[in-house]
Coordinates of all heavy atoms in Angstrom, one line a residue:
L313 N 4.5 16.3 -5.8 CA 3.6 17.2 -6.3 C 4.3 18.6 -6.3 O 5.2 18.9 -5.5 CB 2.3 17.3 -5.5 CG 1.4 16.1 -5.5 CD1 0.3 16.3 -4.4 CD2 0.7 15.9 -6.8
D314 N 3.7 19.5 -7.1 CA 4.1 20.9 -7.0 C 3.6 21.5 -5.7 O 2.6 20.9 -5.1 CB 3.4 21.7 -8.2 CG 4.0 21.5 -9.5 OD1 5.0 20.7 -9.6 OD2 3.5 22.0 -10.5
I315 N 4.2 22.6 -5.2 CA 3.6 23.4 -4.2 C 3.4 24.8 -4.8 O 4.4 25.4 -5.3 CB 4.6 23.5 -3.0 CG1 4.7 22.1 -2.3 CG2 4.1 24.5 -2.0 CD1 5.7 22.0 -1.2
R316 N 2.2 25.2 -4.8 CA 1.8 26.4 -5.6 C 1.2 27.5 -4.6 O 0.8 27.2 -3.6 CB 0.8 26.1 -6.6 CG 1.3 25.1 -7.7 CD 0.3 24.8 -8.8 NE 0.8 23.8 -9.8 CZ 0.1 23.3 -10.8 NH1 -1.2 23.6 -10.8 NH2 0.6 22.5 -11.6
A317 N 1.3 28.7 -5.1 CA 0.7 29.8 -4.4 C -0.8 29.5 -4.2 O -1.5 29.1 -5.1 CB 0.9 31.1 -5.1
G318 N -1.3 29.9 -3.1 CA -2.8 29.6 -2.8 C -3.0 28.3 -2.1 O -4.2 28.1 -1.6
W319 N -2.0 27.4 -2.0 CA -2.2 26.2 -1.3 C -1.5 26.4 0.0 O -0.2 26.5 0.1 CB -1.6 25.0 -2.0 CG -2.3 24.8 -3.4 CD1 -3.4 25.3 -3.9 CD2 -1.8 23.9 -4.4 NE1 -3.7 24.9 -5.1 CE2 -2.7 24.0 -5.5 CE3 -0.6 23.1 -4.6 CZ2 -2.5 23.3 -6.7 CZ3 -0.4 22.4 -5.7 CH2 -1.4 22.5 -6.8
R320 N -2.2 26.4 1.1 CA -1.5 26.5 2.4 C -0.7 25.2 2.7 O -1.2 24.1 2.8 CB -2.6 26.6 3.5 CG -2.0 26.8 4.9 CD -3.1 27.1 6.0 NE -2.5 27.1 7.3 CZ -2.8 26.2 8.3 NH1 -3.7 25.3 8.0 NH2 -2.3 26.3 9.4
T321 N 0.6 25.4 2.7 CA 1.5 24.2 2.8 C 2.4 24.4 4.1 O 2.9 25.5 4.3 CB 2.4 24.1 1.6 OG1 1.6 24.1 0.4 CG2 3.3 22.9 1.7
R322 N 2.5 23.4 4.9 CA 3.2 23.5 6.2 C 3.8 22.2 6.6 O 3.4 21.1 6.0 CB 2.2 24.0 7.3 CG 1.0 23.1 7.5 CD -0.1 23.8 8.1 NE -1.2 23.0 8.5 CZ -2.2 22.5 7.7 NH1 -2.1 22.8 6.4 NH2 -3.1 21.7 8.1
L323 N 4.7 22.2 7.5 CA 5.3 21.0 8.1 C 4.8 20.9 9.5 O 4.8 21.9 10.3 CB 6.8 21.1 8.1 CG 7.5 21.3 6.8 CD1 9.0 21.6 6.9 CD2 7.3 20.0 5.9
T324 N 4.3 19.7 9.9 CA 3.7 19.6 11.2 C 4.3 18.3 11.9 O 5.0 17.5 11.3 CB 2.1 19.3 11.1 OG1 1.9 18.0 10.7 CG2 1.5 20.3 10.1
T325 N 3.9 18.2 13.2 CA 4.2 17.0 13.9 C 3.5 15.8 13.3 O 2.6 15.9 12.5 CB 3.8 17.2 15.4 OG1 2.4 17.6 15.4 CG2 4.6 18.3 16.0
T326 N 3.9 14.6 13.8 CA 3.4 13.4 13.2 C 2.3 12.7 14.0 O 1.6 11.8 13.5 CB 4.5 12.3 13.0 OG1 5.1 12.0 14.3 CG2 5.6 12.9 12.1

Side-chain angles (χ1 to χ4, degrees):
L313 293 168
D314 290 354
I315 293 175
R316 298 179 180 175
W319 300 347
R320 181 175 173 245
T321 304
R322 60 204 186 278
L323 300 173
T324 78
T325 53
T326 62

